[in-house]
Amino acid sequence: MTTLTDLAGWLANEPASDDVKAVVAVVAGACAEISKVVASGAILGNLGAAGQVNVQDEEQKKLDIITNDILRDALNGCPLVAGLASEELEVIETTGAVGGFLVTFDPLDGSSNIDVNVSVGTIFSILPAPAGVAPSEADFLLPGRRQVAAGYAVYGPQTMLVLTLSQGVVAFTLDADGAWLLTHGQVAISADTAEFAINMSNQRHWAEPVRGYIDGCLQGKAGPRGKNFNMRWVASMVADVHRILMRGGIFLYPWDAREPDKPGKLRLLYEANPMSLIVERAGGRSTDGVNPILDIQPTKLHQRVPVVLGSANEVALVAEMAAR
Ligand code: AHG
Ligand code: MN
Ligand code: MN
Ligand code: MN
């Protein structure tokens, strides 16, 4: 069997700066630790609700908090990280370091799946920190194109880590000894697909063009798309995006009328932006239904955004339908 390159071996040849690589390595180590805690589930009494509500107004799971603390501790221990922001923390936290990088993260994505043993993950984004001064919340509000690296871990049948630093997208698989081994050297999303991912139970709440686009998909060969679509919805963004990176597809979490004052469910800084950088680097597209998510100028730390991402031709069609 050929010897697979490990994370350190791959990083050695990645053009990004040594400092960016060092922060990526710290996050990768934290994700390896999280995979053990997630895998132990009920054995360590870690499943179930934590009995408190987070800033998102969501019932926190015990593992939301446990995984948040693992990442927070790892980042506080890295002198290259000046500040962090998390789905599970109302405000940013500074580490005492100055300069270097800011890290935003969703420590446990897909929390609603953790108690029923369906794949979950961790999503992270690395941004430049301001020079010479402790970061404030405003320093985190950078468009997604300013990310210096992004990635996610998916805790599924395999535990995998998907990364983009300066170019391209690669994927590692965690081995029995806790090493990340390079198993996918060039991840690329097919431009076309016949598989869509959306929570269909919200159909009556959608607006155009999402209603029209999904209707077109559901009409099969006789419809405007001329092909039979398949549907998947894991309800863990990491799992749905990972499937799309591996075999193509389109993922939609649009605005819906259930909470009309919210633009969507997914959060820009630690879900949509890191996933959009990965998807674009893999040759796909990611928009808010019309415009690239990576170009959005954030205004609030936990702001939400509608998300349409995946196979470029399908995402482009949704945007074209919006312009009609
Ligand atoms: P989180 O568990 O980090 O709060 O994120 C859950 C998100 C995302 O992972 C997924 O795509 C979406 O919520 C699923 O939403 P529904 O449960 O409304 O389908
Ligand atoms: Mn999430
Ligand atoms: Mn989460
Ligand atoms: Mn959550």
Side-chain angles (χ1 to χ4, degrees):
M1 188 173 105
T2 53
T3 311
L4 296 175
T5 306
D6 67 6
L7 178 61
W10 177 79
L11 285 172
N13 297 311
E14 217 289 338
S17 75
D18 288 347
D19 286 355
V20 168
K21 296 177 191 178
V23 177
V24 168
V26 166
V27 175
C31 290
E33 197 185 330
I34 288 173
S35 77
K36 281 189 232 152
V37 165
V38 164
S40 65
I43 295 169
L44 298 180
N46 290 335
L47 296 184
Q52 53 195 53
V53 174
N54 65 9
V55 67
Q56 323 286 341
D57 204 20
E58 297 168 339
E59 279 287 330
Q60 276 180 316
K61 301 284 191 183
K62 289 179 194 167
L63 277 169
D64 279 323
I65 297 168
I66 293 165
T67 56
N68 186 67
D69 292 347
I70 290 171
L71 266 162
R72 188 197 218 169
D73 293 348
L75 295 171
N76 270 299
C78 177
L80 292 166
V81 175
L84 56 95
S86 166
E87 177 198 348
E88 305 305 335
L89 297 171
E90 184 164 0
V91 294
I92 67 150
E93 288 189 357
T94 57
T95 64
V98 167
F101 303 96
L102 307 176
V103 181
T104 73
F105 56 90
D106 174 359
L108 190 70
D109 176 61
S111 306
S112 65
N113 283 322
I114 193 67
D115 294 343
V116 293
N117 197 19
V118 169
S119 299
V120 294
T122 300
I123 309 171
F124 71 92
S125 166
I126 303 177
L127 295 161
V133 65
S136 65
E137 180 175 296
D139 295 310
F140 284 79
L141 304 182
L142 299 176
R145 293 213 189 281
R146 295 290 309 279
Q147 295 173 98
V148 296
Y152 65 81
V154 52
Y155 313 114
Q158 300 95 46
T159 292
M160 293 186 70
L161 179 73
V162 174
L163 297 176
T164 185
L165 276 70
S166 58
Q167 63 194 14
V169 175
V170 292
F172 299 81
T173 303
L174 195 66
D175 77 359
D177 302 322
W180 293 109
L181 301 183
L182 184 69
T183 49
H184 300 68
Q186 281 182 315
V187 177
I189 301 178
S190 50
D192 289 304
T193 183
E195 192 160 71
F196 70 89
I198 195 165
N199 183 335
M200 284 300 291
S201 70
N202 300 326
Q203 186 175 29
R204 63 189 179 285
H205 303 302
W206 301 329
E208 293 304 339
V210 171
R211 293 183 77 110
Y213 174 76
I214 296 296
D215 283 350
C217 293
L218 293 174
Q219 289 167 29
K221 274 204 171 69
R225 313 308 319 289
K227 53 186 173 181
N228 292 324
F229 272 74
N230 189 27
M231 194 210 94
R232 287 284 182 274
W233 186 250
V234 182
S236 295
M237 186 185 196
V238 285
D240 284 312
V241 170
H242 190 74
R243 184 190 58 254
I244 288 168
L245 283 167
M246 294 294 117
R247 72 182 192 207
I250 182 169
F251 170 99
L252 305 93
Y253 209 113
W255 171 91
D256 71 54
R258 289 175 299 164
E259 295 185 275
D261 59 332
K262 284 183 183 165
K265 175 174 183 180
L266 300 177
R267 283 60 54 120
L268 178 60
L269 286 191
Y270 38 80
E271 289 174 314
N273 270 344
M275 289 308 204
S276 298
L277 188 67
I278 292 165
V279 166
E280 281 202 4
R281 289 271 178 82
R285 289 181 65 157
S286 180
T287 71
D288 58 6
V290 180
N291 300 306
I293 280 177
L294 293 175
D295 295 335
I296 294 173
Q297 172 56 56
T299 53
K300 286 188 292 181
L301 194 63
H302 298 292
Q303 87 181 60
R304 298 166 189 257
V305 65
V307 177
V308 179
L309 64 76
S311 293
N313 294 343
E314 290 300 312
V315 175
L317 175 57
V318 175
E320 185 214 302
M321 291 174 76
R324 286 177 193 167

